[in-house]
Amino acid sequence: MDDDGTRGVRGSSADRVPGPALPPPPTTPPRVPAPAAGPRPAATPVEQRPARPGSASPAGQPVPGAPVDAWLRTPRPPQEPGVWRYGYTPPPPEEPEGVSNRSLLVGALISLLSALLLWSLWRNGYLPYRLVPLKLFTPGEWWNPGTSGGPRTIEGSDALTVYEAILFGLLAYGCGRIGNFSELFRRHVADRGQPFLALAAAAAAGLTQLLVWKEALPVVRPVLVLVASVAGGEIYQSQTVVNVIYAVIAAAVLYPFARLGRWRELIAARRGTVAPAPDGTAAAPAAATSADQWPELRTAGWTDAADTLTAEVRTGRMNDVDVARLRHAWALATRRPDRLAPLAEAVLRTGGAAALHPSGHRDLPRRGARHDVLTGQVRIGRCADDPHNPYVRRGTGLALEPALLGTSLLAVGPPGAGKTARLIRPVVEALALRALAGQAAVLAVGGAGAPLGPDDAFDVVVRLGHPGSAHDIDLYGGTTDPDEAAAVLAEGLVGDVGSLDSRRAATVLAQLLGPYRAAHGHFPSVPELRELLDGTPAALAGLRTSLEAAGHHAMLRELDARSRQAGGPGDPAPALADRVALLDRPAFTGFFATGPDARPFSLRALGQHPLRVRVDLPERGHAEASRLLTRLLLAQFTAITAARTDTTLFACLVLDDATHAVTAETVRGIRRLRSVNAGAVLALRTVDDVPETLHTPLLGAVGCTAAFSGITTWDGKRFAEAWGKEWVETREVAQHTVFADQPFTRALHALRKLVTGKAVTTDAVTVRQVERERWSASELAYAVPAGHAVIRLATVEGEHAPPLLVHLEG
């Protein structure tokens, strides 16, 4: 990897802070130890992440071996924005709102009592014309005269027996349907699972058998009559035949209860075998996948390389980062056919250590979140079971990925709400893993001591104001164009001052930076820039002398123009000098060096290399300077990423505290990031940390927003307006007093009022569609529990998800 002027070494001078040391590519790949012998626990690399080769497996991470193989073959179906796709299983269809248990039990009891009453009236002959349908289809000599005359012959008696059994079956079926016994059985028996289901079915089967053989239920005699009518009465002369018929009846009565109680599945589970599906169909075999066999390499003809990687995965010598890195490297090589052969040779020679990150690392030292490096997702929480969330999203995992971060993310919440631990750090961790896979570059900016990750998880760590910092930062963003450097620097210095025009401030800076660079070959340091902005005669005279000696007449005109405008009304130079003075402090001595020997880290390298950079700001002792530097880094990032031509790498800036860092120009820059494969993550304590005129533009510029628990109603109002409204169905119930006209009715109403203490009323229900806010300001301020956040997501392709209440995972 080309260093692009970002690699430096510590010099001998004590007052000089060297530039960053970008680790050179290793001469030999790191040695991957053989898998440890002994049994390995079954684990999945999502819940428990694969260990870094060469280091001990920390708690919660699987040991090398088959888990990576299973992780690679786990399906990741495409889903809505933010859904944790690893092993995703869609929820069952939403069940309609059913009746209450009380209503269900009362309905079943009434249906059962009605059926018993009807059957008793039938058996005792109180129902008129009960035999008319039977007499219409049987010979008349079987019956006594009259509509209610009974059977005259044995054939009539047998026909009546079968007729009663058929009517009893229809009555039982109707009673079950009207009383909704199936729902009652599902709620109170089937949902309790085994073994309660099997025991309840066995008890019901025993009771039914008793009623059948006591002839309380018309089953045995009708069956015997039908068998005699088909096979003749002589068949009952054999006791064996009679026993077989009785056994068949008992089995037929027992079979439905065996199905309802799932006895076969319970017995199979006790024996340790697998029972077939309840519908009798054989279970479909698991779909085999060849994802772990590297089909893209085999399709291209590199079978040996594919076999090598397959063996590396199955023997545990590769982790999830290796898989993602080699897949990405192969995808890039296919665009440049001349790189295919070297990559295949490297795979054959070093296996999973091919195409390493320049740092030589194959994983982070430790992980605090759940990652799926193959898709770039990091799980930050779980959607709560709340009416605000759609049914299909309740209980599903919520994850962030570059497709979402490409629209930028704004997180607002008070201190202690969990923005850093539960959102910012997992995002930085995911981007660092993606950088190790060669697919992203991340710049994390926070105060000194902010838990953004350990030092060895980054390639460059800049500790501004710390004497032991091994790296510096370039105030001018690594550019050589004075106008470009002046525009970005002006935005960082006075972009938050509403009374100053940043374009005029950029002009003032350009009138000084251009001549200075022409005379000295580099931009001025902080003390020199402060002297020029203050208009110190010695500094201006020395610069003029250098320009005259070198013959830069055009730059002399720029310097003369600055001299004429100095001290005029509205001159931004004094304000610029005051802001530069914040950086010209003893704590920053040796920082922001610009001499020929200084090689500070430039943000321009983020657009070219998969770097992991962390900047620690001295917020405690120099709060205003830290805000200035944060604003400057944000302005540099938006300007540099928008100007890059190669957008293969996803570049992301993460600001742990963006207080007073957002300006009108950076809002426009954030809006342009999604088109250049870049994004920004901004964390604020309150929206009021941004100028009021930028509240609406900022919420409109970012595609992802997160409101943490504890925000104020003023902040909630802005989020509610940004998230819009939706159509909902409302029910309005109005109670009207009933006035009776009849004396008897009035007496009943008076008695009821005397007993209940309330007048007799009737309910008038009105159902209508109204448009309401998805989340109101009061709900966001008071209804979001601690440890939760309401998050709205959108992708760079335009897909979006509604605001979801998410339980954040620490």
Side-chain angles (χ1 to χ4, degrees), residues 461-550:
V461 178
V462 181
R463 295 185 177 89
L464 293 174
H466 192 284
S469 177
H471 303 92
D472 196 0
I473 199 165
D474 190 354
L475 284 180
Y476 305 99
T479 183
T480 58
D481 185 359
D483 293 327
E484 181 181 352
V488 175
L489 186 58
E491 195 64 33
L493 292 175
V494 295
D496 61 328
V497 182
S499 59
L500 286 180
D501 186 2
S502 59
R503 290 175 296 183
R504 187 172 182 183
T507 301
V508 171
L509 287 172
Q511 290 173 344
L512 296 174
L513 297 181
Y516 191 95
R517 178 171 179 78
H520 301 283
H522 57 83
F523 291 120
S525 62
V526 170
E528 293 168 337
L529 179 60
R530 180 183 180 184
E531 291 179 354
L532 293 174
L533 289 172
D534 283 334
T536 304
L540 293 176
L543 180 57
R544 182 181 298 276
T545 301
S546 300
L547 292 174
E548 290 176 350

Side-chain angles (χ1 to χ4, degrees), residues 738 740 742-760:
V738 178
Q742 301 298 326
F744 181 71
T745 307
R746 285 199 299 269
L748 289 178
H749 287 184
L751 178 61
R752 180 177 176 181
K753 183 176 181 180
L754 180 64
V755 174
T756 62
K758 297 180 181 179
V760 179

Side-chain angles (χ1 to χ4, degrees), residues 606-794:
L606 288 174
Q608 303 171 4
H609 310 296
L611 292 175
R612 302 165 294 166
V613 183
R614 194 189 77 205
V615 178
D616 295 343
L617 301 176
E619 289 184 346
R620 295 183 178 179
H622 303 273
E624 194 62 31
S626 298
R627 295 173 181 175
L628 186 153
L629 291 171
T630 302
R631 192 165 52 248
L632 178 62
L633 291 173
L634 177 58
Q636 287 185 359
F637 181 82
T638 56
I640 290 172
T641 54
R644 63 176 181 163
T645 57
D646 184 7
T647 59
T648 304
L649 283 176
F650 175 73
C652 189
L653 169 67
V654 181
L655 298 182
D656 184 48
D657 184 6
T659 302
H660 300 297
V662 179
T663 64
E665 184 61 33
T666 53
V667 168
R668 287 189 287 269
I670 290 173
R671 190 178 290 112
R672 294 191 296 265
L673 291 179
R674 66 178 65 191
S675 62
V676 292
N677 196 23
V681 179
L682 312 178
L684 295 172
R685 295 182 177 90
T686 173
V687 181
D688 290 332
D689 289 339
V690 177
E692 185 175 359
T693 56
L694 298 179
H695 290 175
T696 300
L698 177 60
L699 289 173
V702 298
C704 303
T705 48
F708 284 72
S709 61
I711 65 172
T712 63
T713 53
W714 292 273
D715 288 343
K717 179 181 179 181
R718 298 181 180 96
F719 280 107
E721 293 175 351
W723 292 339
K725 301 180 179 181
E726 62 179 347
W727 289 97
V728 296
E729 184 181 275
T730 61
R731 296 171 59 90
E732 297 179 357
V733 180
Q735 293 184 339
H736 303 285
T737 303
V738 178
F739 298 96
D741 297 331
Q742 301 298 326
F744 181 71
T745 307
R746 285 199 299 269
L748 289 178
H749 287 184
L751 178 61
R752 180 177 176 181
K753 183 176 181 180
L754 180 64
V755 174
T756 62
K758 297 180 181 179
V760 179
T761 59
T762 182
D763 294 341
V765 181
T766 303
V767 180
R768 60 178 179 175
Q769 295 282 338
V770 297
E771 192 177 22
R772 288 185 178 177
E773 294 175 332
R774 300 178 185 272
W775 281 82
S776 67
S778 298
E779 288 175 329
L780 289 173
Y782 302 110
V784 179
H788 290 66
V790 181
I791 302 178
R792 187 254 185 188
L793 302 175

Side-chain angles (χ1 to χ4, degrees), residues 189-475:
V189 180
D191 287 349
R192 296 193 179 186
Q194 300 287 13
F196 181 82
L197 176 60
L199 294 177
L207 179 61
T208 304
Q209 291 281 8
L210 179 63
L211 295 176
V212 166
W213 297 113
K214 290 292 184 179
E215 297 190 358
L217 299 180
V219 176
V220 178
R221 290 189 62 190
V223 172
L224 296 177
V225 169
L226 289 176
V227 172
S229 63
V230 174
E234 297 81 4
I235 192 173
Y236 295 122
Q237 296 178 359
S238 173
Q239 186 63 37
T240 303
V241 173
V242 174
N243 294 337
V244 170
I245 294 176
Y246 285 165
V248 170
I249 294 175
V253 173
L254 195 63
Y255 178 73
F257 296 97
R259 290 292 301 271
L260 290 175
R262 301 175 184 174
W263 296 350
R264 188 177 181 183
E265 296 179 13
L266 180 61
I267 294 173
R270 297 291 184 182
R271 293 180 177 178
T273 59
V274 180
D279 56 357
T281 58
T289 177
S290 58
D292 61 326
Q293 298 182 6
W294 303 84
E296 59 272 17
L297 274 69
R298 299 182 187 277
T299 304
W302 300 95
T303 307
D304 294 341
D307 292 339
T308 300
L309 294 180
T310 301
E312 292 272 303
V313 169
R314 294 182 176 178
T315 57
R317 296 173 60 87
M318 288 179 64
N319 60 16
D320 52 352
V321 178
D322 295 332
V323 173
R325 185 186 70 251
L326 289 174
R327 280 176 174 264
H328 179 68
W330 186 264
L332 294 179
T334 53
R335 304 175 188 175
R336 299 279 300 273
D338 57 313
R339 297 183 178 180
L340 288 176
L343 178 60
E345 293 176 0
V347 168
L348 292 175
R349 185 175 63 256
T350 60
L356 273 180
H357 185 265
S359 64
H361 296 162
R362 298 172 63 176
D363 200 354
L364 297 179
R366 58 181 176 272
R367 305 186 191 182
R370 300 163 62 185
H371 301 271
D372 184 17
V373 187
L374 203 60
T375 58
Q377 288 189 318
V378 53
R379 176 165 175 159
I380 62 172
R382 173 181 51 82
C383 296
D385 187 5
D386 187 85
H388 286 91
N389 293 342
Y391 171 77
V392 295
R393 299 300 299 268
R394 298 174 190 173
T396 62
L398 188 84
L400 296 176
E401 57 183 307
L404 300 172
L405 299 178
T407 64
S408 299
L409 186 148
L410 175 66
V412 179
K419 299 188 302 297
T420 301
R422 300 180 178 180
L423 180 66
I424 299 300
R425 175 160 183 173
V427 168
V428 173
E429 199 172 84
L431 293 171
L433 288 172
R434 205 157 179 82
L436 291 178
Q439 304 176 44
V442 56
L443 171 62
V445 181
L452 300 181
D455 293 349
D456 49 357
F458 297 90
D459 303 314
V460 175
V461 178
V462 181
R463 295 185 177 89
L464 293 174
H466 192 284
S469 177
H471 303 92
D472 196 0
I473 199 165
D474 190 354
L475 284 180

